Amino acid sequence: MDKEQKMNENTVRDLSGKPNKIEIKDVSFDYVDQRSKFSALDHVSLDIKEGEFICILGSSGCGKSTLLGLLNGLNKAKAGKILVDGKPIKGPGPDRAVVFQQYSLFPWLTVKGNILFGIKQSGRKYTKAEREELADEYIRKVGLVGAASRYPSQLSGGMKQRVAVARALALESDILLLDEPFGAIDPKLRLELQELVSTLCTENHKTVVFVTHDIDEAILLADRIVVMEPGRIRTILPVPFPHPRKRDYLIGTDGYEILHRKLIASFYAHVEDSIDAEVAL
């Protein structure tokens, strides 16, 4: 059985009938200090369907993390608005869980303790026994059964990020925001975590916004890839491969190579534009 046939055994998600979960409407954002102003986002608009996995792809400084910060509610847009389920974001909330590149685990809590914290923050009225059972389930899902009683200082980088993902899922939020969560992890573990997040988010029907500068990562994970240039969205490309995805089945297929070439052309186009502008000066 060839790779194309193997992939077609699964189903491409049809999200066309789903309502919008997130609406980003003509959003602008500036970083301002006493001496200067920098436009990080300039009239950005994007609709994200319920249950959709969006990857925001772009180089450093193009506004990817700024946009994620607005979605999290840490910052407020200068202009435009962001709606979740039709309501404006007014700040951070339990409906949006976040995973950062730098783990952000509580060092005084064990693996299980960190995940229990997420369960308590969900606001669901579980008994103590139910919380314990849920924590054990998330520990199992991320493959850390033998490390439940360890503290973050006793974990590798990959294990810490597994805990961070489990804690975010334990919040039981509809939306999961991830800001280059695997950027500091070695390639083998990175691939394992990519496939883990893809599987868990699909199983739990999460709406996901995942920031990355890695083209292969975006193709492996996303339903659509939003390619950014500084301050703006350059293009949006659908990813026509079924879930769950395995990199070994994707690489080498005609569809993968075509999409990869399109993304490279779009990803690097603004870099060439910037060089041309500097030369002109």
Side-chain angles (χ1 to χ4, degrees):
M1 183 180 294
D2 63 27
K3 291 181 179 180
E4 297 280 6
Q5 288 175 317
K6 181 68 175 178
M7 286 165 53
N8 288 334
E9 287 184 342
N10 301 314
T11 304
V12 177
R13 283 203 293 247
D14 181 10
L15 299 167
S16 58
K18 293 283 188 178
N20 288 332
K21 187 69 177 179
I22 300 170
E23 297 170 84
I24 301 168
K25 296 180 176 292
D26 203 29
V27 165
S28 297
F29 182 84
D30 296 338
Y31 289 105
V32 181
D33 60 27
Q34 293 180 342
R35 294 177 293 180
S36 63
K37 180 174 75 171
F38 169 70
S39 178
L41 295 172
D42 184 17
H43 300 287
V44 171
S45 295
L46 176 67
D47 290 339
I48 300 173
K49 297 288 187 182
E50 182 182 296
E52 188 172 19
F53 199 125
I54 290 286
C55 275
I56 301 178
L57 178 70
S59 58
S60 298
C62 70
K64 307 185 304 295
S65 293
T66 298
L67 183 56
L68 206 73
L70 293 175
L71 289 170
N72 188 24
L74 293 173
N75 294 312
K76 185 177 180 180
K78 178 189 78 172
K81 57 185 177 180
I82 300 178
L83 307 177
V84 172
D85 291 328
K87 299 178 182 178
I89 290 176
K90 296 182 179 179
D95 59 330
R96 285 153 285 138
V98 187
V99 179
F100 298 103
Q101 183 173 338
Q102 296 302 322
Y103 318 127
S104 301
L105 301 178
F106 298 116
W108 59 88
L109 294 178
T110 63
V111 167
K112 188 170 183 176
N114 270 280
I115 296 171
L116 280 168
F117 177 85
I119 294 170
K120 291 174 184 176
Q121 292 297 110
S122 73
R124 307 294 175 91
K125 294 182 179 180
Y126 294 119
T127 64
K128 182 179 179 181
E130 287 171 334
R131 290 196 298 269
E132 292 282 333
E133 185 177 347
L134 268 176
D136 289 338
E137 180 181 344
Y138 283 115
I139 288 168
R140 178 186 56 78
K141 283 183 176 181
V142 298
L144 290 175
V145 172
S149 60
R150 294 186 193 177
Y151 290 89
S153 62
Q154 299 171 308
L155 304 176
S156 68
M159 294 171 77
K160 289 177 185 176
Q161 201 59 294
R162 286 174 184 267
V163 180
V165 169
R167 187 178 64 183
L169 291 173
L171 283 166
E172 298 187 335
S173 306
D174 292 337
I175 297 170
L176 187 59
L177 309 173
L178 302 102
D179 192 0
E180 300 199 56
F182 311 139
I185 296 172
D186 70 71
K188 182 177 182 297
L189 282 174
R190 182 171 184 152
L191 178 56
E192 291 177 5
L193 287 168
Q194 288 166 351
E195 293 183 351
L196 174 69
V197 164
S198 178
T199 299
L200 291 178
C201 290
T202 300
E203 289 176 352
N204 291 277
H205 309 291
K206 301 294 184 185
T207 302
V208 184
V209 182
F210 189 110
V211 165
T212 184
H213 61 268
D214 186 314
I215 290 173
D216 290 315
E217 183 169 68
I219 294 174
L220 181 67
L221 296 173
D223 294 307
R224 286 188 297 157
I225 300 172
V226 177
V227 183
M228 291 194 70
E229 60 187 7
R232 298 183 180 90
I233 293 174
R234 174 174 280 272
T235 190
I236 302 174
L237 293 173
V239 183
F241 307 124
H243 290 274
R245 296 176 188 150
K246 295 289 185 181
R247 189 184 296 265
D248 289 346
Y249 296 143
L250 284 175
I251 293 178
T253 63
D254 291 341
Y256 175 89
E257 296 298 334
I258 291 168
L259 180 57
H260 197 274
R261 287 197 296 271
K262 286 181 179 179
L263 287 166
I264 287 178
S266 185
F267 184 85
Y268 289 107
H270 82 265
V271 176
E272 295 174 1
D273 292 345
S274 298
I275 291 172
D276 290 343
E278 288 180 12
V279 170
L281 292 174

